C-alpha cells in the first residue's frame, strides 16, 4: 500500500510583511494544521481520498478566514455567489456547482452532483434545488456575511476595483498576505491507502465581481482535476487565466504525454505558462506515487500537507 497523504490550500498572493499581524498569522497556521489533521485521520482510518478532500474543503468553507462558504466575498451587487467542484481520480466522475447563494457548503453540493446526477455542473437555482432535494442545509445570505468582507466591498466600490482576492486595502488589514494581491480560493488533494486520488476546490469568487461571473474553481480541468493515472490538482489564482490554460489538466497532460515529473509539470504550468498570460497564483498537487507539489508564482500561498503518521507541514510565505 502507498503512504496516504493530503494537501490543502487557502489562497495565494503577495506577502505584506509590514502589515502582518503575528496573531492573524497564527490563526491561519492553526486552521491549516487542524484541517490537515482531520484529513489525515480520515485517510488513516481507511477513508477514501474523495472523503478526505470533501471534508477538508467543507472545513475550509466553515472557517471565515478563507474566501469560501462562511466569510465569502461580495459581488458588485452586494450578494454572495459560491462555486465548488470535486473529482474522483478512480472513476473520473466529477460534480460541480456554480453561482449558488443559499447552500451552506457548496463542496457538499458538488459531491451530491457527482454521486446523484447524470450531469457534471449545475448552476444557480437549479443547483440549489438539487442540493435541497438531497438534504443539504440551506441558509440565508446573512450566514455568509462577515464585516471584514463587507468592508472590502465598500473599499473596492470606492476605488472602482475588482479584486481577485480576500481583501480590499492592505493598509487596513493585518493579514499576512497583501490583501490587494491575494486570491481567495480553497482546495484539497489526496492520495488514499488504496492508491486512489481525488481533488476538491471551492470559492466565493472575487470582491466586486459582476454577478454571474464564474471562475476556474468549478471548471473540470481548470481549477480542479484528478486522475489515478497521474495526479490530483487544485488551483488558486487569476481564474480567467487558469481557465484559458486548463491549468489543472495541463499538469496531468504534461505528466502523461510529456513524461514530466510532478514537480516539473506543475512548475511548467504555474511558473511559466500562467505567468506568460499575466496570471498569478498557485496549485497543490499529489501524484499516484504520493509525491506532493505546492508551486506558486506569487509571494505566498496558504498551504500545507501531511502524510498519514506525520505531523502537518504548513506554510504561508515563499521559502528562502
Amino acid at each position: 500500500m502507498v503512504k496516504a497523504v493530503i494537501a490543502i490550500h487557502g489562497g495565494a498572493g503577495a506577502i505584506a510583511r509590514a502589515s502582518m499581524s503575528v496573531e492573524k498569522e497564527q490563526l491561519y497556521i492553526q486552521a491549516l494544521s487542524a484541517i490537515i489533521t482531520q484529513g489525515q485521520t480520515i485517510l488513516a482510518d481507511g477513508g477514501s481520498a474523495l472523503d478526505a478532500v470533501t471534508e477538508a474543503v467543507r472545513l475550509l468553507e466553515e472557517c471565515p478566514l478563507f474566501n469560501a462558504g462562511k466569510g465569502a466575498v461580495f459581488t458588485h451587487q452586494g450578494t454572495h455567489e459560491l462555486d465548488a467542484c470535486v473529482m474522483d481520480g478512480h472513476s473520473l466522475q466529477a460534480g460541480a456547482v456554480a453561482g449558488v447563494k443559499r447552500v451552506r457548503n457548496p463542496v457538499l453540493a458538488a459531491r451530491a452532483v457527482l454521486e446523484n446526477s447524470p450531469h457534471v455542473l449545475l448552476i444557480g437555482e437549479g443547483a440549489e434545488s438539487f442540493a435541497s432535494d438531497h438534504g443539504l442545509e440551506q441558509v440565508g445570505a446573512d450566514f455568509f456575511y462577515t464585516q471584514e468582507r463587507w468592508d472590502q466591498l465598500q473599499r473596492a466600490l470606492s476605488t472602482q476595483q475588482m479584486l481577485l482576492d480576500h481583501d480590499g486595502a492592505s493598509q487596513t488589514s493585518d493579514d499576512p498576505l497583501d490583501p490587494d494581491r491575494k486570491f481567495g480560493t480553497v482546495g484539497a488533494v489526496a492520495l488514499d491507502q488504496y492508491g486512489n486520488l481525488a481533488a476538491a476546490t471551492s470559492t466565493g469568487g472575487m470582491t466586486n465581481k459582476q454577478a454571474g461571473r464564474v471562475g476556474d474553481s468549478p471548471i473540470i480541468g481548470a481549477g480542479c482535476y484528478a486522475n489515478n493515472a497521474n495526479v490530483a490538482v487544485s488551483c488558486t489564482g487569476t481564474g480567467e487565466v487558469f481557465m484559458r490554460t486548463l491549468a489543472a489538466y495541463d499538469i496531468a497532460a504534461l505528466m502523461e504525454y510529456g513524461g514530466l515529473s510532478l514537480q516539473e509539470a506543475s512548475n511548467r504550468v504555474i511558473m511559466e505558462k500562467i505567468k506568460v498570460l499575466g496570471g498569478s497564483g498557485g496549485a497543490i498537487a499529489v501524484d499516484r506515487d504520493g509525491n506532493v507539489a505546492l508551486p506558486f508564482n506569487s509571494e505566498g500561498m496558504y498551504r500545507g500537507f501531511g502524510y498519514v503518521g506525520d505531523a502537518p507541514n504548513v506554510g504561508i510565505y515563499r521559502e528562502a
Side-chain angles (χ1 to χ4, degrees):
M1 291 191 297
V2 298
K3 190 168 185 178
V5 62
I6 185 168
I8 66 174
H9 72 76
I15 299 302
R17 294 183 183 273
S19 62
M20 180 190 71
S21 159
V22 173
E23 292 78 15
K24 190 71 169 286
E25 178 187 357
Q26 285 305 307
L27 288 176
Y28 279 106
I29 295 295
Q30 291 166 8
L32 292 169
S33 297
I35 292 169
I36 291 169
T37 298
Q38 286 290 101
Q40 289 174 303
T41 299
I42 292 171
L43 295 172
D45 291 342
S48 70
L50 189 60
D51 285 343
V53 299
T54 302
E55 178 62 8
V57 170
R58 186 192 71 80
L59 291 170
L60 287 161
E61 290 175 344
E62 290 289 317
C63 181
L65 291 172
F66 303 103
N67 173 25
K70 177 69 173 178
V73 299
F74 287 86
T75 68
H76 178 77
Q77 288 75 12
T79 60
H80 295 99
E81 294 185 351
L82 314 175
D83 310 324
C85 177
V86 295
M87 187 165 183
D88 179 3
H90 173 66
S91 64
L92 296 187
Q93 288 184 301
V97 295
V100 296
K101 302 177 181 180
R102 299 191 297 271
V103 180
R104 175 169 178 154
N105 293 112
V107 72
L108 297 184
R111 177 71 180 267
V113 173
L114 182 154
E115 294 179 333
N116 302 296
S117 173
H119 309 304
V120 169
L121 173 61
L122 298 178
I123 66 169
E125 292 183 3
E128 290 171 344
S129 295
F130 181 87
S132 180
D133 289 345
H134 287 84
L136 298 184
E137 183 176 354
Q138 307 284 298
V139 295
D142 59 336
F143 173 81
F144 303 112
Y145 177 96
T146 62
Q147 188 64 46
E148 183 178 4
R149 297 289 187 257
W150 179 253
D151 292 344
Q152 290 165 20
L153 175 62
Q154 303 314 306
R155 291 194 293 270
L157 290 171
S158 68
T159 57
Q160 297 183 329
Q161 286 182 304
M162 183 168 58
L163 303 171
L164 294 162
D165 54 24
H166 280 308
D167 217 332
S170 59
Q171 66 270 24
T172 62
S173 174
D174 64 352
D175 200 296
L177 293 189
D178 180 349
D180 281 331
R181 299 173 60 195
K182 181 169 51 148
F183 307 101
T185 305
V186 305
V189 293
L191 173 71
D192 63 34
Q193 62 183 277
Y194 312 107
N196 296 314
L197 292 164
T201 308
S202 181
T203 188
M206 56 189 182
T207 296
N208 200 26
K209 71 176 181 178
Q210 174 63 42
R213 179 263 185 186
V214 177
D216 65 304
S217 296
I219 306 301
I220 302 299
C224 186
Y225 187 75
N227 188 332
N228 275 11
N230 37 56
V231 68
V233 183
S234 175
C235 298
T236 173
T238 315
E240 280 69 14
V241 176
F242 279 74
M243 283 192 282
R244 289 158 57 197
T245 56
L246 282 176
Y249 176 72
D250 198 19
I251 293 173
L254 286 169
M255 295 174 69
E256 182 174 359
Y257 303 125
L260 274 63
S261 69
L262 172 66
Q263 201 67 54
E264 291 170 338
S266 57
N267 283 342
R268 176 80 60 84
V269 172
I270 299 300
M271 310 307 290
E272 298 178 24
K273 291 188 169 188
I274 292 292
K275 291 185 72 173
V276 165
L277 294 179
S280 181
I284 56 173
V286 57
D287 69 16
R288 64 182 183 180
D289 297 319
N291 299 304
V292 173
L294 310 166
F296 53 96
N297 61 36
S298 51
E299 289 301 314
M301 180 170 73
Y302 296 116
R303 65 197 186 277
F305 68 94
Y307 290 92
V308 168
D310 294 348
N313 184 320
V314 303
I316 298 176
Y317 313 109
R318 180 175 296 283
E319 297 177 357

